[in-house]
Amino acid sequence: MPLTMTYGRPSPQSAVETVHAALDAGVTLFDTADMYGVGANERLLGRALGGHRDEVTIATKLGIVALPGVGIPVGLNARPERVRKCVEGSLRRLGTDRIDLLYLHRVDPSVPIEETIGAMAELVSEGSVRELGVCEVTAELLERANAVHRLAALQSEWSLFSRDVESGPLQAARRLGLAVVAYSPLGRGMLTGDPGSTTRLSLLDVRRFLPRWRGKNLQRNLDMVEVVRNVADAHSCTPAQVALAWLLNKGHDVVPIPGTSSPRHLRANLAALDVMLTKQDTARLDRLEAHGARARASDARSPCDAVGSQAIS
Ligand SMILES: NC(=O)c1ccc[n+]([C@@H]2O[C@H](COP(=O)([O-])OP(=O)(O)OC[C@H]3O[C@@H](n4cnc5c(N)ncnc54)[C@H](OP(=O)(O)O)[C@@H]3O)[C@@H](O)[C@H]2O)c1
């Protein structure tokens, strides 16, 4: 859920209402990160969950350094001595005594992944963290991380628009028996077909700077969304629901985490569970390919996470 500042800045009230709507609908997984809104996202989630803490799984992340005040990612720091400090901050902001799933948000190339995961594993043995995961890693790094401490999940961008994970990391995650958490499953909103996701973007909306939202790429990508809409029309559902159903079809180990700050969108996204795509639909959707890189070249070390959001799946 882009609760704080990602794709514009939603009102805190609608963000809290969305968390409550999620709880009412039986959602149990909430995804945040220490850099989302530079802690504001974790604070909001902790407050909104209130007495429901024990009914849910809270996933948060560390490793990206964000510019205070603005939340723009400015670097990576996953040094072992920083890991404990990050977790203490997350626990305080979330108002809890444990993190259910702690991800390494991005691998810090200046630190061997074994050292970062080793420091995270210490917190598991102490009880302040329950499970570990990693985001956006290669198959090799996933195996190395898992060799230090058994992981629970790989989180990567995965959608009809972003298929990189399918060439290596997905197979490695399956070999290791990990859950595969698909972030930005709606292509950062574009796959919903909602014109608001491509036009009228606010000055604070990170998508203004992404290659897929620019010039010819944008037009070609919108043409692809028409294919998704076509499939959706045949099922009397929405393009967003088709995008989620396509991921859900990829296996029981796949957990899409659509982000929203709207109770209405939340409920609509959950209804994707009832959409049954045919083999022909899936084959048609499988052929789609987005135009333009999914991140700016300057984000190469932390692809696509020029974002601050919370997801509920
Ligand atoms: N590990 C990582 O590096 C990483 C990186 C990025 C994201 N994530 C996680 O993944 C989550 C989801 O990714 P995301 O938020 O980037 O992208 P996303 O889920 O692909 O798309 C979110 C966008 O779609 C819109 N939307 C959602 N449901 C909609 C619907 N039914 N109809 C129309 N618009 C709809 C949202 O706007 P509204 O608020 O108006 O609904 C928002 O602008 C994030 O919240 C975050 O927790 C992780």
Side-chain angles (χ1 to χ4, degrees), residues 38-267:
V38 209
N41 200 287
E42 290 180 326
R43 257 182 243 111
L44 196 145
L45 177 61
R47 274 203 311 274
L49 287 175
H52 296 279
R53 165 68 187 98
D54 292 341
E55 299 156 29
V56 303
T57 295
I58 297 179
T60 192
K61 320 184 189 78
L62 56 78
I64 297 182
V65 181
L67 202 63
V70 248
I72 296 170
V74 286
L76 303 173
N77 186 342
R79 293 184 186 285
E81 60 273 20
R82 186 169 179 265
V83 165
R84 181 176 296 271
K85 238 178 113 193
C86 286
V87 166
E88 284 168 1
S90 290
L91 290 170
R92 197 175 53 248
R93 289 187 292 273
L94 286 161
T96 184
D97 60 354
R98 75 218 177 262
I99 290 163
D100 301 308
L101 175 56
L102 178 67
Y103 289 102
L104 173 58
H105 207 164
R106 287 294 179 278
V107 176
D108 178 345
S110 68
V111 186
I113 197 166
E114 288 80 0
E115 289 184 19
T116 307
I117 299 295
M120 290 164 69
E122 271 178 35
L123 300 170
V124 176
S125 56
E126 291 171 17
S128 55
V129 173
R130 284 201 165 148
E131 302 280 353
L132 301 183
V134 289
C135 302
E136 290 287 355
V137 291
T138 60
E140 187 222 332
L141 284 169
L142 190 65
E143 309 237 2
R144 278 171 54 190
N146 190 70
V148 176
H149 187 277
R150 166 126 185 81
L151 302 178
L154 163 70
Q155 184 174 137
S156 282
E157 182 168 359
W158 194 9
S159 74
L160 282 168
F161 269 7
S162 300
R163 313 275 304 268
D164 304 353
V165 70
E166 293 175 31
S167 338
L170 175 64
Q171 293 79 355
R174 287 190 160 151
R175 262 195 314 276
L176 299 170
L178 315 188
V180 182
V181 177
Y183 80 72
S184 300
L186 302 172
R188 297 173 187 269
M190 203 189 293
L191 284 164
T192 67
D194 181 345
S197 67
T198 47
T199 56
R200 305 190 306 274
L201 300 182
S202 82
L203 278 177
L204 295 173
D205 195 312
V206 297
R207 293 172 294 195
R208 292 165 67 90
F209 311 103
L210 299 179
R212 288 184 180 170
W213 269 257
R214 300 179 84 95
K216 282 189 187 149
N217 286 343
L218 176 60
Q219 192 44 57
R220 288 177 177 164
N221 290 332
L222 289 175
D223 291 346
M224 284 179 51
V225 175
E226 284 314 302
V227 177
V228 183
R229 194 188 297 282
N230 213 258
V231 173
D233 287 346
H235 288 270
S236 304
C237 70
T238 66
Q241 289 164 342
V242 167
L244 295 172
W246 175 82
L247 272 169
L248 290 165
N249 257 0
K250 294 289 174 191
H252 293 301
D253 52 351
V254 180
V255 185
I257 51 168
T260 182
S261 54
S262 146
R264 186 168 58 85
H265 289 167
L266 168 96
R267 286 187 280 268

